[in-house]
Each structure stands twice: as structure tokens, then as C-alpha cells.
Amino acid sequence: MPLVIGHRGAPGYLPEHSRSSYLRAIEAGVDAVEPDVVPSKDGVLVVRHENEISGTTDVSTRPEFADRRTSKTVDGELMTGWFVEDFTWEELRTLRCRERIPAIRPQSAAHDDEDGVLCLRDLLDLARAGGVGVVLEIKHAATFARLGFDMSALVEDELRAAGWVDAVDDLVIESFEPLVLARLRERGIRIPLVQLIEADGAPWDLRERHGADAASYRSMLTTVGLDALAAEVQGISPDKRIVLAPDRLGRARGPARVVGEAQDRGLRVFTWTCRPENTFLLTAYRRPGGKAAFGDYRREWAVLRDAGLDGVFVDHADLGVEFFGAASGTV
């Protein structure tokens, strides 16, 4: 059975990346939890999905921070709001967590402003106390490099300080950007590395470096691409649509062959993200009731279960553990 990984905690029930969300996932019996990290102005790794935080914290309501609102280009996209790199950690820790998609998850939004923002050390301590592993995602490494932040160095320094740098059975590091994973290898990090793979497009760091000639995510899943990955990382984590391989009617044709092809090369294969709401399911598995209603998620998830994956990311930790069964193994 695959490892069940609480994606940003248990955000199906509580605001993502909050202490309560992670505790809910741990209590549900997940094998690991997944934080995303971005740096504060003073180089503290903060547990947030994006560096723009107006949608996931109460920063927009705080008059003392009104003048920090600005516009920036992040991975080629112009964004307006408040950005973690413009705040010290002492300032960020005063903010409160909020639900990112309240229209889909009003139950979670009812818990807005209850929890403060976490740093990576907080999360590592929670995981260790709860006896679960950590799948750590590095966000926007190329964008932060232009701002003077070396994400590989910040991650290594924090793991060493927290006593996790040798936690090879309890920790995985992942990113959509292969260059930051390469820098971690160059630094001698022994923690298993996983390449995240979108269904379309190309990694932003490669686009910055190579422009239109950047290797696409899809090319990583070819015979040549998988051979190259097997020499560089220990696993891949493709979008679930790649594994499901839907037809024009939104029916899964998978499991896709790429799962077995990757595993034959010694790569572990994870997928993201298992969510029960209609809006996140393939068309064929949606039910009446609107975007927020639960669809026939079990039929979709059954395809992933039958794929022989090494791990699955879930938003509703209890549903994930009940359906896939926690493996209680190492990450």
C-alpha cells in the first residue's frame, strides 16, 4: 500500500499549513506530512504554499502592514499582494492562517484566524513529536535566487540545526525545479530527492535558463527523460492526471505505464493530490451538488491505488488513510 501523506496537513478540514491542520493529519494516522517553504526577509523558512500570502493569512486586514502591498513577478506571473520576503519572521509569526478556497471549503474557513503562521522548525518539531515523516517542498527557488536567497543553503542549514539532515528514513525533499535539487546534491545532502512533475509546461528554472528550449515536464517521462532522472533523483511525483490518463469524457484510462517504467529504474513514484470534491475530480466521477460536494472519489482513487504507487498526497487525511491504508513505513 502507498504511503499516505497529509498535503499541507489536513486542509480539507482546517486552513492549510496551520498547526491544527497538521495535528489533524497526524491524529488521522498519516505516514507523513507535506510542508511548502518560502523564506522571510531575514532568511527564516516559513511554511506557506506561496510567497504571496494575502489569500492564506490575515495580512490584508492588518493596518500596520498596509504599505507592504506591492506587485511582483513570480515565476513569470505578475502578482499583487503581500510577500513573505518583505517581512521578518517576527512580523510573520503575528499573522493568522486563513482558508485559501473558502467557497469550496467553508468548514475550514470557519476556523480562520485561529492559528498563527509556522516556520519550518515548528513543523519539524510537530512531525517528530507525532512520529510521522516529512515531505518537504521547496518553492520558487529560481525566483528567490534572483532576490538573493539560496534555497538549497537555507534548507540544509535548517535541517542541520534541527537535527534532521541525516533523517534519510523520515524526510524527502521535493521541488518542481530540478536545479535546486541539483544544488542540494552538490552540497552533499543524503536525503532522498523527488522531482515534482506537472501535467503540462516546463520547470520555471529551466525556462529562465534555456527559454523555449527548456526541457518540458512531459519530456521527463520519456524513456530518455526517466533514465536521466534515475541518475539524479530518487523519485518522481507527477500530477495525478498523468497517472489517471483520462480520455475525452474524463474517464480514467490508467494506471499509466509510466508508473511501472519509473519504478523499473529504481525511482519511487508519488502522485498529487487526492481530493474528494467535485471540482478536483475527473469529469466522469463528479456528482450533483456543485463544486464543493463530494463526488465519486473512490472510483477515481481506486485507479491510483491499483497503480502500485509508493505514495499519495491527500487533503482529507482521514479519508486517505481509510481508503489507501497507512503504510506505517519510511518516507
Side-chain angles (χ1 to χ4, degrees):
M1 62 184 66
L3 295 170
V4 177
I5 304 159
H7 182 241
R8 311 176 201 167
Y13 302 110
L14 293 158
E16 66 185 33
H17 293 315
S18 66
R19 181 179 296 272
S20 295
S21 185
Y22 283 113
L23 289 175
R24 178 75 172 260
I26 292 169
E27 290 165 1
V30 298
D31 298 294
V33 291
E34 186 249 14
D36 306 297
V37 293
V38 290
S40 68
K41 184 177 182 178
D42 47 346
V44 175
L45 290 173
V46 182
V47 180
R48 291 285 93 192
H49 181 248
E50 301 292 341
N51 58 325
E52 200 290 295
I53 54 173
S54 62
T56 59
T57 74
D58 66 342
V59 67
S60 66
T61 71
R62 304 287 290 274
E64 68 269 34
F65 299 137
D67 62 346
R68 308 281 179 96
R69 188 173 188 269
T70 188
S71 295
K72 298 187 181 187
T73 299
V74 180
D75 293 0
E77 179 184 355
L78 181 64
M79 306 178 73
T80 298
W82 287 260
F83 297 82
V84 289
E85 64 269 22
D86 296 331
F87 295 80
T88 65
W89 168 237
E90 287 302 312
E91 292 172 326
L92 289 167
R93 70 190 304 177
T94 69
L95 300 179
R96 314 304 290 178
C97 298
R98 289 189 171 180
E99 171 55 44
R100 180 172 54 88
I101 45 174
I104 301 297
R105 292 174 173 168
Q107 176 185 354
S108 174
H111 297 277
D112 282 356
D113 301 341
E114 291 180 355
D115 286 18
V117 171
L118 301 176
C119 66
L120 178 57
R121 177 65 68 88
D122 296 329
L123 183 281
L124 294 174
D125 290 346
L126 277 177
R128 181 157 283 167
V132 301
V134 173
V135 180
L136 170 63
E137 182 178 349
I138 299 174
K139 304 290 292 191
H140 308 305
T143 292
F144 287 126
R146 292 199 314 275
L147 298 174
F149 297 97
D150 183 341
M151 291 297 286
S152 62
L154 290 175
V155 168
E156 180 185 9
D157 290 347
E158 185 59 41
L159 294 180
R160 289 193 183 281
W164 278 72
V165 75
D166 294 317
V168 294
D169 293 330
D170 300 314
L171 178 65
V172 167
I173 301 175
E174 62 181 6
S175 180
F176 286 103
E177 297 174 271
L179 297 182
V180 72
L181 297 178
R183 286 192 289 275
L184 286 167
R185 289 194 302 275
E186 292 165 0
R187 299 181 72 88
I189 289 290
R190 297 171 53 244
I191 300 299
L193 304 176
V194 170
Q195 175 66 53
L196 286 159
I197 299 175
E198 296 267 17
D200 299 295
W204 179 253
D205 59 345
L206 298 186
R207 290 171 62 187
E208 276 197 344
R209 176 174 289 190
H210 302 296
D213 295 326
S216 68
Y217 287 115
R218 285 284 179 176
S219 73
M220 294 179 177
L221 302 178
T222 64
T223 297
V224 172
L226 287 172
D227 286 343
L229 284 173
E232 301 292 334
V233 297
Q234 288 69 52
I236 62 172
S237 187
D239 184 327
K240 69 172 182 175
R241 289 173 293 172
I242 295 172
V243 180
L244 294 169
D247 62 19
R248 286 186 172 184
L249 298 178
R251 298 173 299 197
R253 296 175 299 169
R257 292 175 55 187
V258 69
V259 176
E261 291 170 347
Q263 290 170 332
D264 287 344
R265 289 166 169 81
L267 292 165
R268 299 169 73 192
V269 183
F270 303 83
T271 198
W272 48 275
T273 301
C274 294
R275 297 168 168 134
E277 297 100 339
N278 279 326
T279 192
F280 301 116
L281 297 173
L282 295 182
T283 306
Y285 308 118
R286 295 173 185 169
R287 289 175 170 170
K291 294 181 178 180
F294 283 13
D296 192 2
Y297 68 90
R298 290 176 171 271
R299 285 180 60 206
E300 183 184 278
W301 292 8
V303 180
L304 302 175
R305 181 187 58 201
D306 295 344
L309 294 159
D310 295 284
V312 293
F313 292 84
V314 301
D315 275 9
H316 295 69
D318 57 338
L319 300 184
V321 170
E322 183 274 329
F323 186 85
F324 293 104
S328 298
T330 62
V331 295

